[in-house]
Amino acid sequence: MKTETKLISVNVGLPRIVMNNGEPVTTGIFKEPVAGRVMLRALNLDGDGQADLSVHGGLSKAAYAYPSEHYQYWRQEFPEMKLPWGMFGENFTTTGLFESELNIGDKFQVGSAIVMVTEPRLPCYKLGIKFGRTDIIKRFLASERTGFYFAVLREGEVGAGDQIELIERSQGSVSVNQIVQLYAREKHNTGLLRRAIATEALPESWKSYFQHRLEKLTAPSQD
């Protein structure tokens, strides 16, 4: 992480009702940049909210970050679309942080807050609603430009322009990108599965998912 790492934009939004195939859907994916400093708390930013708390939010997903560098890729993919900061539903639009270089468990100071990388973002159908096209879900995952979630270890104020300073590198961990690869295309990599399961900072839902897959792969043959 040799390039300068900082917050480009802080984006918040409360859940709203939108129509999808004639049906009302409540979603918190519509985020917009805010000026000034915002309090980052254990569950989210002030003024922010999630609609479906069974899959969004929670201690391991207090803030969603998305690299600003990925926007150029998506502007080439969708040249007809406007893609303002916050388009992917991210709270933090960042620079200098990449999924391939970030380990699960890495700790950073942002403003007066301290955060820890916990997991990648898996796209749901609401990203398709935001973009007005269902193919974005498959393309988002295939691109491996997923962004990542932070847990909040110390609450504090954050704002656009804040440096994102590495406090502690998680040793012997797996990268955000490796979790995505395990999920999407490295499904039979037992060595990487074991490393992921042993990663302390990885949420239990991921560990149990990978443990179940490992058990299926290593179960004795019934032949």
Side-chain angles (χ1 to χ4, degrees), residues 107-209:
K107 297 174 185 176
F108 295 87
Q109 178 157 351
V110 189
S112 58
I114 293 177
V115 297
M116 180 177 72
V117 178
T118 54
E119 57 186 294
R121 185 261 191 95
L122 294 182
C124 74
Y125 75 99
K126 291 178 180 179
L127 187 65
I129 295 174
K130 180 76 183 286
F131 273 73
R133 53 191 307 155
T134 56
D135 66 334
I136 182 63
I137 300 166
K138 190 174 287 186
R139 290 166 74 167
F140 184 85
L141 190 61
S143 76
E144 297 183 6
R145 294 168 169 85
T146 60
F148 43 91
Y149 285 103
F150 284 128
V152 177
L153 304 183
R154 186 181 78 193
E155 296 183 346
E157 286 188 339
V158 298
D162 282 355
Q163 299 293 313
I164 304 175
E165 300 175 31
L166 180 65
I167 295 175
E168 183 184 322
R169 180 83 165 150
S170 180
Q171 301 299 325
S173 179
V174 290
S175 70
V176 172
N177 195 233
Q178 285 175 316
I179 296 295
V180 176
Q181 290 170 354
L182 268 180
Y183 178 80
R185 59 183 176 85
E186 289 273 336
K187 298 186 177 187
H188 300 90
N189 189 331
T190 55
L192 193 54
L193 281 169
R194 289 190 172 95
R195 281 180 56 202
I197 294 163
T199 298
E200 186 179 348
L202 189 67
E204 285 303 320
S205 57
W206 276 107
K207 290 185 193 179
S208 59
Y209 174 75

Side-chain angles (χ1 to χ4, degrees), residues 30-49:
F30 291 87
K31 313 288 187 194
E32 293 186 359
V34 289
R37 304 194 67 70
V38 185
M39 191 70 185
L40 175 62
R41 304 188 189 276
L43 290 176
N44 54 22
L45 289 154
D46 281 1
D48 193 51

Side-chain angles (χ1 to χ4, degrees), residues 34-96:
V34 289
R37 304 194 67 70
V38 185
M39 191 70 185
L40 175 62
R41 304 188 189 276
L43 290 176
N44 54 22
L45 289 154
D46 281 1
D48 193 51
Q50 297 85 26
D52 185 352
L53 296 178
S54 67
V55 290
H56 298 290
L59 292 172
S60 68
K61 299 179 181 177
Y64 172 46
Y66 199 73
S68 61
E69 293 88 349
H70 294 344
Y71 272 79
Q72 185 56 38
Y73 171 83
W74 293 113
R75 286 181 178 123
Q76 290 173 338
E77 291 289 297
F78 306 124
E80 73 287 354
M81 291 188 70
K82 287 185 177 179
L83 300 178
W85 299 142
M87 184 66 188
F88 294 88
E90 78 268 19
N91 301 112
F92 293 161
T93 313
T94 62
T95 186

Side-chain angles (χ1 to χ4, degrees), residues 18-36:
V18 297
M19 298 304 289
N20 182 46
N21 296 325
E23 297 290 330
V25 174
T26 305
T27 176
I29 200 170
F30 291 87
K31 313 288 187 194
E32 293 186 359
V34 289

